[in-house]
Amino acid sequence: MTLSQLEGLVEIDQDITDSAYGTAYNNRSIEQLLQYGIILLDKPPGPTSHETVAWTKRILGLPKVGHSGTLDPQVSGVLPLGLGEATKALGVLLYGPKEYHAVCRFHTLPTKQRLDEVLSEFTGMIYQRPPQRSSVRRRTRTRTIHSMKLLEQKERLALLQISCESGTYIRKLLYDIGEILGPGATMIELRRTMVNQFTEQDKLVTLHHLSDAYDTWKESGDSTLLRSMIYPVEAALSRLKSVVIRDSAVDALCHGAQLAVPGILQMSPELNRHETVAIYTQKGEAVALAECKMTESEIRDATKGHCFETRRIIMAPNTYPRRWRTKGRHS
């Protein structure tokens, strides 16, 4: 996803982008990006997801880095990392669709026709019981397989492209396919190629390249390479509907207040109750994630009342000036 695509996220008021507080998401300094940025790490096979997070913290000198969706040690591919305050937005990616490329070995040689039939049977909603070595309770649950394509087959080896619901165990899926085919199947290699809207066609970063870019910035002051590796946190929210609020309401939300009707300037059409939305400043900065408590038409007809319930605050308090008072406080 490019910054030009992000510009359609919210309508930025060009008259206020040079004000004394706040920074347009596409004009942040490298120091700000290190607190409100997303890195798409190309995780190598071998280390755990937690180890790669620890290494990233050490490379960038940051106290807080988080990942979106654990990858097993032997699995490679797209692993979004949130830097600083951006860790608070990673939950949006946890429940989005995932895509994998898997190499498996069948214990017998299936015909292409038979293999296509079985893959079709496993497309749609399936029942799956997590494997013995898993971090969740082993009980049967449903997962949706959006699509499965046979990209290549060489005798008993097959390369599959699998698009599925988050939380699907690909190794177990291939095992179950092998049971239907006959003697069984074994996963040889697995790579995650998509997490929600992020794919391996985007600017994936290796730990080595990240370390080199950071050292270049620290030694020469040139942040060009490091900046090219970091997305603004707003990129992770780009599939959510948006609400733009007044500057006077920003700091109140950052301190835990609920968004009321008078604070709204702009919102996406067709908002529904219980829908999760991203709340932005007039400069396009992510402030928080919230749940709709009213429909769009109810909000437009109302003159007061809380219309969104804050679920996750992203922006640090005091980024914008305080323009609110607590009870009993007098100016």
Side-chain angles (χ1 to χ4, degrees), residues 2 23 78 107 111 127 145 148 178 192 204 211 242 285-286:
T2 63
T23 306
V78 182
H107 298 172
T111 65
Y127 291 97
I145 307 300
M148 263 198 294
R192 186 160 69 186
L204 295 193
S211 179
S242 61
E285 305 154 284

Side-chain angles (χ1 to χ4, degrees), residues 200-212:
E200 63 177 359
Q201 276 69 51
D202 294 309
K203 49 188 178 187
L204 295 193
V205 177
T206 66
L207 288 169
H208 292 294
H209 290 155
L210 183 63
S211 179
D212 289 344

